[in-house]
PDB file of all heavy atoms in Angstrom:
ATOM      1  N   ALA G1223      17.969  36.131   4.420  1.00  0.00           N
ATOM      2  CA  ALA G1223      18.517  37.404   4.019  1.00  0.00           C
ATOM      3  C   ALA G1223      19.778  37.619   4.950  1.00  0.00           C
ATOM      4  O   ALA G1223      19.648  37.688   6.242  1.00  0.00           O
ATOM      5  CB  ALA G1223      17.604  38.478   4.297  1.00  0.00           C
ATOM      6  N   SER G1224      20.899  37.689   4.378  1.00  0.00           N
ATOM      7  CA  SER G1224      22.140  37.791   5.105  1.00  0.00           C
ATOM      8  C   SER G1224      22.854  39.171   4.705  1.00  0.00           C
ATOM      9  O   SER G1224      22.507  39.796   3.756  1.00  0.00           O
ATOM     10  CB  SER G1224      23.192  36.708   4.775  1.00  0.00           C
ATOM     11  OG  SER G1224      23.387  36.548   3.403  1.00  0.00           O
ATOM     12  N   ALA G1225      23.745  39.557   5.675  1.00  0.00           N
ATOM     13  CA  ALA G1225      24.370  40.899   5.401  1.00  0.00           C
ATOM     14  C   ALA G1225      25.455  40.670   4.298  1.00  0.00           C
ATOM     15  O   ALA G1225      26.438  39.976   4.226  1.00  0.00           O
ATOM     16  CB  ALA G1225      25.191  41.260   6.707  1.00  0.00           C
ATOM     17  N   PRO G1226      25.367  41.524   3.257  1.00  0.00           N
ATOM     18  CA  PRO G1226      26.219  41.340   2.078  1.00  0.00           C
ATOM     19  C   PRO G1226      27.711  41.989   2.459  1.00  0.00           C
ATOM     20  O   PRO G1226      28.666  41.522   1.841  1.00  0.00           O
ATOM     21  CB  PRO G1226      25.664  42.388   0.997  1.00  0.00           C
ATOM     22  CG  PRO G1226      24.755  43.335   1.844  1.00  0.00           C
ATOM     23  CD  PRO G1226      24.315  42.543   2.981  1.00  0.00           C
ATOM     24  N   VAL G1230      26.620  48.271  10.179  1.00  0.00           N
ATOM     25  CA  VAL G1230      25.748  48.423  11.244  1.00  0.00           C
ATOM     26  C   VAL G1230      24.204  48.533  10.685  1.00  0.00           C
ATOM     27  O   VAL G1230      24.089  49.287   9.670  1.00  0.00           O
ATOM     28  CB  VAL G1230      26.016  49.759  12.107  1.00  0.00           C
ATOM     29  CG1 VAL G1230      25.074  50.084  13.096  1.00  0.00           C
ATOM     30  CG2 VAL G1230      27.499  49.759  12.657  1.00  0.00           C
ATOM     31  N   VAL G1231      23.327  47.951  11.375  1.00  0.00           N
ATOM     32  CA  VAL G1231      21.982  47.960  10.965  1.00  0.00           C
ATOM     33  C   VAL G1231      21.458  49.468  11.287  1.00  0.00           C
ATOM     34  O   VAL G1231      21.386  49.845  12.385  1.00  0.00           O
ATOM     35  CB  VAL G1231      20.994  46.996  11.782  1.00  0.00           C
ATOM     36  CG1 VAL G1231      19.686  47.070  11.326  1.00  0.00           C
ATOM     37  CG2 VAL G1231      21.701  45.638  11.586  1.00  0.00           C
ATOM     38  N   ASP G1232      21.005  50.030  10.112  1.00  0.00           N
ATOM     39  CA  ASP G1232      20.533  51.468  10.306  1.00  0.00           C
ATOM     40  C   ASP G1232      19.027  51.531  10.473  1.00  0.00           C
ATOM     41  O   ASP G1232      18.533  52.280  11.285  1.00  0.00           O
ATOM     42  CB  ASP G1232      20.880  52.135   8.967  1.00  0.00           C
ATOM     43  CG  ASP G1232      20.530  53.594   9.082  1.00  0.00           C
ATOM     44  OD1 ASP G1232      20.619  54.337   9.974  1.00  0.00           O
ATOM     45  OD2 ASP G1232      19.928  53.988   7.942  1.00  0.00           O
ATOM     46  N   GLN G1233      18.310  50.694   9.748  1.00  0.00           N
ATOM     47  CA  GLN G1233      16.871  50.750   9.812  1.00  0.00           C
ATOM     48  C   GLN G1233      16.272  49.445   9.393  1.00  0.00           C
ATOM     49  O   GLN G1233      16.655  48.976   8.426  1.00  0.00           O
ATOM     50  CB  GLN G1233      16.278  51.898   8.972  1.00  0.00           C
ATOM     51  CG  GLN G1233      14.804  52.196   9.107  1.00  0.00           C
ATOM     52  CD  GLN G1233      14.373  53.282   8.101  1.00  0.00           C
ATOM     53  OE1 GLN G1233      15.171  53.792   7.408  1.00  0.00           O
ATOM     54  NE2 GLN G1233      13.087  53.720   8.303  1.00  0.00           N
ATOM     55  N   LEU G1234      15.241  48.952  10.110  1.00  0.00           N
ATOM     56  CA  LEU G1234      14.397  47.826   9.802  1.00  0.00           C
ATOM     57  C   LEU G1234      13.159  48.226   9.033  1.00  0.00           C
ATOM     58  O   LEU G1234      12.449  49.224   9.597  1.00  0.00           O
ATOM     59  CB  LEU G1234      14.071  46.944  11.018  1.00  0.00           C
ATOM     60  CG  LEU G1234      15.101  46.210  11.759  1.00  0.00           C
ATOM     61  CD1 LEU G1234      14.532  45.591  12.937  1.00  0.00           C
ATOM     62  CD2 LEU G1234      15.740  45.102  10.768  1.00  0.00           C
ATOM     63  N   LEU G1235      12.882  47.687   7.953  1.00  0.00           N
ATOM     64  CA  LEU G1235      11.765  48.254   7.181  1.00  0.00           C
ATOM     65  C   LEU G1235      10.563  47.154   7.076  1.00  0.00           C
ATOM     66  O   LEU G1235       9.499  47.573   6.674  1.00  0.00           O
ATOM     67  CB  LEU G1235      12.233  48.475   5.600  1.00  0.00           C
ATOM     68  CG  LEU G1235      13.420  49.367   5.584  1.00  0.00           C
ATOM     69  CD1 LEU G1235      13.733  49.449   4.035  1.00  0.00           C
ATOM     70  CD2 LEU G1235      13.059  50.709   6.076  1.00  0.00           C
ATOM     71  N   VAL G1236      10.814  46.177   7.863  1.00  0.00           N
ATOM     72  CA  VAL G1236       9.713  45.041   7.925  1.00  0.00           C
ATOM     73  C   VAL G1236       9.820  44.463   9.365  1.00  0.00           C
ATOM     74  O   VAL G1236      10.703  44.684  10.100  1.00  0.00           O
ATOM     75  CB  VAL G1236       9.833  43.874   6.956  1.00  0.00           C
ATOM     76  CG1 VAL G1236       9.657  44.431   5.406  1.00  0.00           C
ATOM     77  CG2 VAL G1236      11.178  43.253   7.055  1.00  0.00           C
ATOM     78  N   GLN G1246      11.345  43.761  -2.449  1.00  0.00           N
ATOM     79  CA  GLN G1246      10.831  44.693  -1.539  1.00  0.00           C
ATOM     80  C   GLN G1246      11.958  44.945  -0.555  1.00  0.00           C
ATOM     81  O   GLN G1246      12.671  44.110  -0.134  1.00  0.00           O
ATOM     82  CB  GLN G1246       9.744  44.202  -0.736  1.00  0.00           C
ATOM     83  CG  GLN G1246       9.167  45.066   0.253  1.00  0.00           C
ATOM     84  CD  GLN G1246       7.854  44.646   0.832  1.00  0.00           C
ATOM     85  OE1 GLN G1246       7.128  43.906   0.260  1.00  0.00           O
ATOM     86  NE2 GLN G1246       7.568  45.116   2.131  1.00  0.00           N
ATOM     87  N   PRO G1247      12.373  46.229  -0.225  1.00  0.00           N
ATOM     88  CA  PRO G1247      13.387  46.482   0.715  1.00  0.00           C
ATOM     89  C   PRO G1247      12.978  45.896   2.128  1.00  0.00           C
ATOM     90  O   PRO G1247      11.943  45.912   2.591  1.00  0.00           O
ATOM     91  CB  PRO G1247      13.424  48.068   0.797  1.00  0.00           C
ATOM     92  CG  PRO G1247      12.855  48.496  -0.462  1.00  0.00           C
ATOM     93  CD  PRO G1247      11.715  47.440  -0.714  1.00  0.00           C
ATOM     94  N   LEU G1248      13.998  45.372   2.719  1.00  0.00           N
ATOM     95  CA  LEU G1248      13.900  44.778   4.074  1.00  0.00           C
ATOM     96  C   LEU G1248      14.549  45.528   5.160  1.00  0.00           C
ATOM     97  O   LEU G1248      13.972  45.639   6.322  1.00  0.00           O
ATOM     98  CB  LEU G1248      14.465  43.176   4.058  1.00  0.00           C
ATOM     99  CG  LEU G1248      13.841  42.323   3.034  1.00  0.00           C
ATOM    100  CD1 LEU G1248      14.585  40.944   3.085  1.00  0.00           C
ATOM    101  CD2 LEU G1248      12.403  42.133   3.215  1.00  0.00           C
ATOM    102  N   MET G1249      15.688  46.037   4.948  1.00  0.00           N
ATOM    103  CA  MET G1249      16.555  46.778   5.959  1.00  0.00           C
ATOM    104  C   MET G1249      17.558  47.519   5.290  1.00  0.00           C
ATOM    105  O   MET G1249      17.909  47.151   4.069  1.00  0.00           O
ATOM    106  CB  MET G1249      16.971  45.911   7.112  1.00  0.00           C
ATOM    107  CG  MET G1249      18.065  44.957   6.693  1.00  0.00           C
ATOM    108  SD  MET G1249      18.584  43.922   8.143  1.00  0.00           S
ATOM    109  CE  MET G1249      17.087  43.151   8.617  1.00  0.00           C
ATOM    110  N   ARG G1250      18.172  48.545   6.064  1.00  0.00           N
ATOM    111  CA  ARG G1250      19.288  49.195   5.419  1.00  0.00           C
ATOM    112  C   ARG G1250      20.403  49.163   6.382  1.00  0.00           C
ATOM    113  O   ARG G1250      20.396  49.101   7.619  1.00  0.00           O
ATOM    114  CB  ARG G1250      18.952  50.730   5.275  1.00  0.00           C
ATOM    115  CG  ARG G1250      17.899  51.062   4.244  1.00  0.00           C
ATOM    116  CD  ARG G1250      17.681  52.567   3.954  1.00  0.00           C
ATOM    117  NE  ARG G1250      16.779  52.756   2.918  1.00  0.00           N
ATOM    118  CZ  ARG G1250      15.592  53.040   3.083  1.00  0.00           C
ATOM    119  NH1 ARG G1250      15.129  53.201   4.294  1.00  0.00           N
ATOM    120  NH2 ARG G1250      14.740  53.298   2.050  1.00  0.00           N
ATOM    121  N   LEU G1251      21.640  48.964   5.813  1.00  0.00           N
ATOM    122  CA  LEU G1251      22.911  48.736   6.611  1.00  0.00           C
ATOM    123  C   LEU G1251      23.801  50.002   6.127  1.00  0.00           C
ATOM    124  O   LEU G1251      23.788  50.437   5.097  1.00  0.00           O
ATOM    125  CB  LEU G1251      23.563  47.515   6.267  1.00  0.00           C
ATOM    126  CG  LEU G1251      22.742  46.192   6.501  1.00  0.00           C
ATOM    127  CD1 LEU G1251      23.641  44.913   6.059  1.00  0.00           C
ATOM    128  CD2 LEU G1251      22.454  46.071   7.853  1.00  0.00           C
ATOM    129  N   ILE G1252      24.657  50.330   7.079  1.00  0.00           N
ATOM    130  CA  ILE G1252      25.735  51.346   6.896  1.00  0.00           C
ATOM    131  C   ILE G1252      27.071  50.552   7.115  1.00  0.00           C
ATOM    132  O   ILE G1252      27.281  49.951   7.995  1.00  0.00           O
ATOM    133  CB  ILE G1252      25.635  52.436   7.964  1.00  0.00           C
ATOM    134  CG1 ILE G1252      24.396  53.294   7.985  1.00  0.00           C
ATOM    135  CG2 ILE G1252      27.028  53.368   7.786  1.00  0.00           C
ATOM    136  CD1 ILE G1252      24.373  54.370   9.063  1.00  0.00           C
ATOM    137  N   THR G1337      24.770  53.813   2.303  1.00  0.00           N
ATOM    138  CA  THR G1337      24.043  52.682   2.953  1.00  0.00           C
ATOM    139  C   THR G1337      23.714  51.536   1.831  1.00  0.00           C
ATOM    140  O   THR G1337      23.779  51.852   0.671  1.00  0.00           O
ATOM    141  CB  THR G1337      22.608  53.237   3.410  1.00  0.00           C
ATOM    142  OG1 THR G1337      21.849  53.686   2.426  1.00  0.00           O
ATOM    143  CG2 THR G1337      22.895  54.215   4.548  1.00  0.00           C
ATOM    144  N   ILE G1338      23.583  50.395   2.397  1.00  0.00           N
ATOM    145  CA  ILE G1338      23.182  49.281   1.563  1.00  0.00           C
ATOM    146  C   ILE G1338      21.669  48.909   1.986  1.00  0.00           C
ATOM    147  O   ILE G1338      21.303  48.722   3.036  1.00  0.00           O
ATOM    148  CB  ILE G1338      23.996  47.991   1.933  1.00  0.00           C
ATOM    149  CG1 ILE G1338      25.498  48.263   1.721  1.00  0.00           C
ATOM    150  CG2 ILE G1338      23.580  46.853   1.079  1.00  0.00           C
ATOM    151  CD1 ILE G1338      26.400  47.233   2.357  1.00  0.00           C
ATOM    152  N   THR G1339      20.857  48.639   0.807  1.00  0.00           N
ATOM    153  CA  THR G1339      19.519  48.167   1.040  1.00  0.00           C
ATOM    154  C   THR G1339      19.367  46.721   0.866  1.00  0.00           C
ATOM    155  O   THR G1339      19.758  46.250  -0.320  1.00  0.00           O
ATOM    156  CB  THR G1339      18.590  48.985   0.026  1.00  0.00           C
ATOM    157  OG1 THR G1339      18.736  50.411   0.472  1.00  0.00           O
ATOM    158  CG2 THR G1339      17.180  48.594   0.325  1.00  0.00           C
ATOM    159  N   VAL G1340      18.965  46.054   1.891  1.00  0.00           N
ATOM    160  CA  VAL G1340      18.872  44.586   1.586  1.00  0.00           C
ATOM    161  C   VAL G1340      17.426  44.185   1.120  1.00  0.00           C
ATOM    162  O   VAL G1340      16.386  44.756   1.831  1.00  0.00           O
ATOM    163  CB  VAL G1340      19.091  43.810   3.056  1.00  0.00           C
ATOM    164  CG1 VAL G1340      18.883  42.334   2.762  1.00  0.00           C
ATOM    165  CG2 VAL G1340      20.498  44.108   3.530  1.00  0.00           C
ATOM    166  N   ARG G1341      17.268  43.571   0.093  1.00  0.00           N
ATOM    167  CA  ARG G1341      15.949  43.343  -0.521  1.00  0.00           C
ATOM    168  C   ARG G1341      15.565  41.772  -0.555  1.00  0.00           C
ATOM    169  O   ARG G1341      16.523  40.964  -0.475  1.00  0.00           O
ATOM    170  CB  ARG G1341      15.901  43.778  -1.987  1.00  0.00           C
ATOM    171  CG  ARG G1341      16.154  45.400  -1.999  1.00  0.00           C
ATOM    172  CD  ARG G1341      16.237  45.808  -3.509  1.00  0.00           C
ATOM    173  NE  ARG G1341      16.509  47.164  -3.512  1.00  0.00           N
ATOM    174  CZ  ARG G1341      15.557  48.234  -3.504  1.00  0.00           C
ATOM    175  NH1 ARG G1341      14.250  47.909  -3.374  1.00  0.00           N
ATOM    176  NH2 ARG G1341      15.944  49.470  -3.512  1.00  0.00           N
ATOM    177  N   ALA G1342      14.251  41.618  -0.663  1.00  0.00           N
ATOM    178  CA  ALA G1342      13.773  40.201  -0.531  1.00  0.00           C
ATOM    179  C   ALA G1342      14.057  39.619  -2.080  1.00  0.00           C
ATOM    180  O   ALA G1342      13.720  40.326  -3.078  1.00  0.00           O
ATOM    181  CB  ALA G1342      12.269  40.028  -0.309  1.00  0.00           C
ATOM    182  N   VAL G1348       7.873  37.077   6.520  1.00  0.00           N
ATOM    183  CA  VAL G1348       9.131  37.320   7.248  1.00  0.00           C
ATOM    184  C   VAL G1348       8.951  36.608   8.500  1.00  0.00           C
ATOM    185  O   VAL G1348       7.950  36.537   9.296  1.00  0.00           O
ATOM    186  CB  VAL G1348       9.180  38.863   7.547  1.00  0.00           C
ATOM    187  CG1 VAL G1348      10.350  39.182   8.347  1.00  0.00           C
ATOM    188  CG2 VAL G1348       9.293  39.539   6.240  1.00  0.00           C
ATOM    189  N   VAL G1351      13.542  37.561  12.589  1.00  0.00           N
ATOM    190  CA  VAL G1351      14.268  38.751  12.589  1.00  0.00           C
ATOM    191  C   VAL G1351      15.299  38.711  13.689  1.00  0.00           C
ATOM    192  O   VAL G1351      15.014  38.784  14.849  1.00  0.00           O
ATOM    193  CB  VAL G1351      13.439  40.031  12.556  1.00  0.00           C
ATOM    194  CG1 VAL G1351      14.296  41.209  12.421  1.00  0.00           C
ATOM    195  CG2 VAL G1351      12.331  39.938  11.446  1.00  0.00           C
ATOM    196  N   SER G1352      16.626  38.551  13.368  1.00  0.00           N
ATOM    197  CA  SER G1352      17.642  38.343  14.299  1.00  0.00           C
ATOM    198  C   SER G1352      18.379  39.487  14.670  1.00  0.00           C
ATOM    199  O   SER G1352      19.437  39.343  15.439  1.00  0.00           O
ATOM    200  CB  SER G1352      18.532  37.074  13.922  1.00  0.00           C
ATOM    201  OG  SER G1352      19.094  37.348  12.634  1.00  0.00           O
ATOM    202  N   VAL G1353      18.189  40.635  14.125  1.00  0.00           N
ATOM    203  CA  VAL G1353      18.980  41.904  14.403  1.00  0.00           C
ATOM    204  C   VAL G1353      18.030  43.087  14.818  1.00  0.00           C
ATOM    205  O   VAL G1353      16.903  42.993  14.591  1.00  0.00           O
ATOM    206  CB  VAL G1353      19.797  42.200  13.251  1.00  0.00           C
ATOM    207  CG1 VAL G1353      20.758  41.334  12.864  1.00  0.00           C
ATOM    208  CG2 VAL G1353      18.841  42.508  11.850  1.00  0.00           C
ATOM    209  N   LYS G1354      18.679  44.121  15.370  1.00  0.00           N
ATOM    210  CA  LYS G1354      17.942  45.230  15.766  1.00  0.00           C
ATOM    211  C   LYS G1354      18.795  46.421  15.225  1.00  0.00           C
ATOM    212  O   LYS G1354      20.014  46.433  15.005  1.00  0.00           O
ATOM    213  CB  LYS G1354      17.994  45.412  17.226  1.00  0.00           C
ATOM    214  CG  LYS G1354      17.052  44.195  17.904  1.00  0.00           C
ATOM    215  CD  LYS G1354      17.072  44.327  19.418  1.00  0.00           C
ATOM    216  CE  LYS G1354      16.217  43.193  19.958  1.00  0.00           C
ATOM    217  NZ  LYS G1354      16.137  43.335  21.472  1.00  0.00           N
ATOM    218  N   VAL G1359      27.013  43.955  12.450  1.00  0.00           N
ATOM    219  CA  VAL G1359      26.945  42.605  11.889  1.00  0.00           C
ATOM    220  C   VAL G1359      28.158  42.361  11.017  1.00  0.00           C
ATOM    221  O   VAL G1359      28.801  43.368  10.443  1.00  0.00           O
ATOM    222  CB  VAL G1359      25.681  42.399  10.906  1.00  0.00           C
ATOM    223  CG1 VAL G1359      24.540  42.484  11.927  1.00  0.00           C
ATOM    224  CG2 VAL G1359      25.508  43.446   9.899  1.00  0.00           C
ATOM    225  N   MET G1364      23.236  36.147   9.367  1.00  0.00           N
ATOM    226  CA  MET G1364      21.815  36.158   9.110  1.00  0.00           C
ATOM    227  C   MET G1364      21.119  37.262   9.631  1.00  0.00           C
ATOM    228  O   MET G1364      21.356  37.606  10.758  1.00  0.00           O
ATOM    229  CB  MET G1364      21.171  34.778   9.605  1.00  0.00           C
ATOM    230  CG  MET G1364      19.793  34.601   9.190  1.00  0.00           C
ATOM    231  SD  MET G1364      18.966  33.218   9.924  1.00  0.00           S
ATOM    232  CE  MET G1364      18.021  33.939  11.217  1.00  0.00           C
ATOM    233  N   LEU G1365      20.341  37.984   8.705  1.00  0.00           N
ATOM    234  CA  LEU G1365      19.500  39.154   9.188  1.00  0.00           C
ATOM    235  C   LEU G1365      18.045  38.691   9.523  1.00  0.00           C
ATOM    236  O   LEU G1365      17.554  39.011  10.566  1.00  0.00           O
ATOM    237  CB  LEU G1365      19.520  40.158   8.208  1.00  0.00           C
ATOM    238  CG  LEU G1365      20.947  40.596   7.719  1.00  0.00           C
ATOM    239  CD1 LEU G1365      20.796  41.710   6.576  1.00  0.00           C
ATOM    240  CD2 LEU G1365      21.654  41.246   8.937  1.00  0.00           C
ATOM    241  N   LEU G1366      17.376  37.911   8.647  1.00  0.00           N
ATOM    242  CA  LEU G1366      16.126  37.423   8.780  1.00  0.00           C
ATOM    243  C   LEU G1366      15.808  36.349   7.829  1.00  0.00           C
ATOM    244  O   LEU G1366      16.588  36.002   6.975  1.00  0.00           O
ATOM    245  CB  LEU G1366      15.012  38.601   8.771  1.00  0.00           C
ATOM    246  CG  LEU G1366      15.016  39.417   7.324  1.00  0.00           C
ATOM    247  CD1 LEU G1366      14.435  38.681   6.206  1.00  0.00           C
ATOM    248  CD2 LEU G1366      14.440  40.846   7.587  1.00  0.00           C
TER     249      LEU G1366
END
Side-chain angles (χ1 to χ4, degrees):
S1224 57
V1230 177
V1231 178
D1232 180 48
Q1233 185 179 9
L1234 287 175
L1235 304 177
V1236 294
Q1246 180 175 334
L1248 303 175
M1249 67 179 64
R1250 292 191 179 94
L1251 303 176
I1252 299 176
T1337 60
I1338 304 172
T1339 301
V1340 180
R1341 299 178 182 272
V1348 176
V1351 179
S1352 57
V1353 295
K1354 297 179 180 180
V1359 295
M1364 187 185 104
L1365 304 176
L1366 54 81

